[in-house]
Amino acid sequence: AQSVSQHNHHVILSEAASLELGCNYSYGGTVNLFWYVQYPGQHLQLLLKYFSGDPLVKGIKGFEAEFIKSKFSFNLRKPSVQWSDTAEYFCAVNAMNYGGATNKLIFGTGTLLAVQP
Amino acid sequence: DSGVTQTPKHLITATGQRVTLRCSPRSGDLSVYWYQQSLDQGLQFLIQYYNGEERAKGNILERFSAQQFPDLHSELNLSSLELGDSALYFCASSLRPESTDTQYFGPGTRLTVL
């Protein structure tokens, strides 16, 4: 069965610090990878996604993530965080399936990021 | 605003009761998903529909059921409610049901069971 691990549960940073949030998944086949963000009191929003191609993916708001197949990882990075980045970040994976069967997202437990001004 | 709407925003009910949560997908999206977010279980996939048909099932309890109607809106029915069913229930939608289709999430319905 697929699973996703996010090792950092709470991260506290000062503004302008660099961010890296870890995400590892377990699945032997081809996967699609996602990072979603949930701002306080709001719904989940897609930050970025990886399906294939360049393993370095750029998303919205200056975020990027790197897919390292050999490490089963998809870490999220941002060079300089802002107070407005305070939110919960979720890594998610689904199995690539051909024939269009299902689109079941498996989420990690989330990382709560607090950015101090 | 993702374009996915969910009603109601909040629901408070008692154990043993039955509730219905409603979701309208983004215009043009044919696939709808339900997720449950709770403190102990995190975000868990419940069920997926595509054009009115069930496509995939996750950890959905037998007390829970869902359907997608011809106008593509979906309802999640929760019955014989227990305290542990208190959670945020998210609906998401995508254009197609494939794994490469991005899911767009609604604002959620917060269910409190007392």
Side-chain angles (χ1 to χ4, degrees), chain A residues 32 34 36 38 41-46 49 51 88 90 94-109, chain B residues 1-2 33 35 37 42-45 48 55-58 88 90 94 96-108:
Chain A
N32 302 309
F34 306 81
Y36 279 86
Q38 189 175 24
Q42 292 190 30
H43 61 280
L44 285 158
Q45 297 174 44
L46 182 67
K49 61 189 177 187
F51 292 159
E88 191 158 16
F90 292 91
N94 68 15
M96 176 79 88
N97 53 72
Y98 302 98
T102 66
N103 189 358
K104 167 182 165 179
L105 284 175
I106 307 297
F107 283 89
T109 49
Chain B
D1 184 359
S2 66
Y33 312 78
Y35 291 85
Q37 186 180 32
L43 250 173
Q44 288 209 310
F45 169 78
Q48 176 191 2
R55 272 286 178 143
K57 236 173 176 172
L88 199 46
F90 286 109
S94 65
R96 300 164 305 174
E98 284 85 6
S99 58
T100 50
D101 272 68
T102 298
Q103 293 180 36
Y104 295 89
F105 283 76

Side-chain angles (χ1 to χ4, degrees), chain A residues 70-92:
Chain A
S70 60
K71 293 186 178 179
F72 297 87
S73 71
F74 190 55
N75 292 354
L76 181 71
R77 299 195 293 245
K78 186 170 184 179
S80 175
V81 294
Q82 301 171 308
W83 177 79
S84 58
D85 293 324
T86 294
E88 191 158 16
Y89 293 81
F90 292 91
C91 181

Side-chain angles (χ1 to χ4, degrees), chain B residues 56-68:
Chain B
K57 236 173 176 172
N59 297 327
I60 186 165
L61 299 171
E62 281 195 17
R63 300 184 285 109
F64 296 1
S65 65
Q67 53 184 326
Q68 186 180 25

Side-chain angles (χ1 to χ4, degrees), chain B residues 51-102:
Chain B
N51 225 7
E53 301 284 327
E54 183 185 302
R55 272 286 178 143
K57 236 173 176 172
N59 297 327
I60 186 165
L61 299 171
E62 281 195 17
R63 300 184 285 109
F64 296 1
S65 65
Q67 53 184 326
Q68 186 180 25
F69 294 86
D71 68 352
L72 300 176
H73 91 272
S74 178
E75 292 181 357
L76 179 67
N77 299 296
L78 315 176
S79 61
S80 304
L81 285 167
E82 301 175 0
L83 295 177
D85 298 327
S86 295
L88 199 46
Y89 291 84
F90 286 109
C91 171
S93 73
S94 65
L95 179 62
R96 300 164 305 174
E98 284 85 6
S99 58
T100 50
D101 272 68
T102 298

